[in-house]
Amino acid sequence: MRLVTIFLLSILASVLSAQGSVRDFDLGGSAYILNEECIRLTPDIQYMSGSAWHREPIDLSKGFEMLICLVLGEKNLLGADGIVFVFHPSKLTGYRGEGMGFGGLVPSLGIEFDTYQNAHLGDPSADHLSIMPNGRMHQVQSLLGPVLLPNLEDGAKHPLRILWDPELQQLEIQLDGEQRALYEGDIVNEIFGGNSIVYWGATAATGRKSNFQDVCIKRLIYAIED
């Protein structure tokens, strides 16, 4: 029993868990606090772009788990453009419209949830997920995807769980309780030039078509060294 207790305490000592708060984020562009849980990245207005960046950076040499919810508006065929979950050394907002507030951010890694088909970017007609490097938006440059998704523009909160295992160099993305993507790669060296300290956040944008687009913070778990 004593050995079990020591083992459990060692696990607790190696993990820092926190309930996320919208007050912990720096907002840019059109983003504003919607309520105590959610940040509205874009209102349902054309040509908007917004970002929400956590004030504290994370260390990609250590593992983490993040649980948030995405809300991608209520307009399906007439809605655009989507939300990107981003890792970047600075807290910036990229290009609006098809750039989804992520386009042009270098160096960066983006997990995009694209709700509008830009045919010239190789987008499929369905809502989709892709893992994109360095603010690039064309699907031919994706590290993984596009992965087809059910319609996300239903006004509902879609739980998003992101897990990073630095030892296996695996980035897992779960949406609505299902694994949607598992990317394996040396993110620190191949994307960030050996710099493991980056900021994380969410960006979104609208263009000729629009939707309200929100990110709601649930739980953050950071693994830390003993």
Side-chain angles (χ1 to χ4, degrees):
M1 180 62 72
R2 184 173 179 271
L3 291 176
V4 172
T5 301
I6 293 174
F7 176 70
L8 291 175
L9 288 175
S10 68
I11 293 176
L12 292 174
S14 66
V15 176
L16 175 64
S17 177
Q19 182 70 33
S21 169
V22 294
R23 309 292 174 183
D24 295 332
F25 289 78
D26 290 327
L27 308 184
S30 61
Y32 62 91
I33 293 176
L34 185 63
N35 52 48
E36 289 303 311
E37 185 179 84
C38 300
I39 295 168
R40 177 145 292 174
L41 298 171
T42 67
D44 188 3
I45 298 173
Q46 294 176 316
Y47 303 109
M48 295 282 108
S49 62
S51 61
W53 291 97
H54 199 274
R55 292 197 178 108
E56 299 297 328
I58 59 173
D59 187 348
L60 293 177
S61 69
K62 305 171 185 177
F64 65 75
E65 174 186 350
M66 299 177 184
L67 178 61
I68 63 177
C69 288
L70 304 179
V71 183
L72 289 126
E74 297 177 330
K75 299 190 303 188
N76 187 10
L77 296 179
L78 299 178
D81 273 88
I83 293 176
V84 185
F85 193 95
V86 185
F87 301 94
H88 184 53
S90 302
K91 295 179 281 187
L92 301 175
T93 307
Y95 304 143
R96 64 189 182 185
E98 63 192 30
M100 289 187 281
F102 166 71
L105 297 184
V106 181
S108 65
L109 184 75
I111 306 167
E112 71 164 21
F113 298 87
D114 195 334
T115 61
Y116 184 74
Q117 183 183 26
N118 289 287
H120 64 286
L121 296 179
D123 290 345
S125 59
D127 294 349
H128 55 279
L129 177 161
S130 296
I131 298 180
M132 309 296 290
N134 297 322
R136 300 170 184 165
M137 305 308 299
H138 200 292
Q139 296 298 328
V140 74
Q141 297 170 313
S142 70
L143 300 176
L144 186 151
V147 177
L148 301 186
L149 300 172
N151 176 41
L152 301 177
E153 297 158 292
D154 56 4
K157 291 181 179 179
H158 293 272
L160 169 64
R161 188 175 180 225
I162 301 174
L163 303 100
W164 168 243
D165 185 329
E167 293 187 5
L168 297 178
Q169 295 188 338
Q170 289 184 340
L171 183 67
E172 180 180 358
I173 297 98
Q174 300 175 9
L175 185 69
D176 291 327
E178 296 184 27
Q179 184 189 89
R180 306 290 183 169
L182 181 64
Y183 173 71
E184 297 186 15
D186 187 356
I187 292 173
V188 172
N189 289 305
E190 294 176 2
I191 301 294
F192 296 108
N195 176 28
S196 65
I197 308 299
V198 296
Y199 290 97
W200 65 272
T203 68
T206 65
R208 185 171 53 86
K209 296 183 179 181
S210 62
N211 249 328
F212 67 84
Q213 299 173 115
D214 308 336
V215 58
C216 303
I217 312 304
K218 292 295 186 180
R219 186 178 71 248
L220 314 174
I221 300 177
Y222 301 96
I224 59 176
E225 295 178 347
D226 293 335

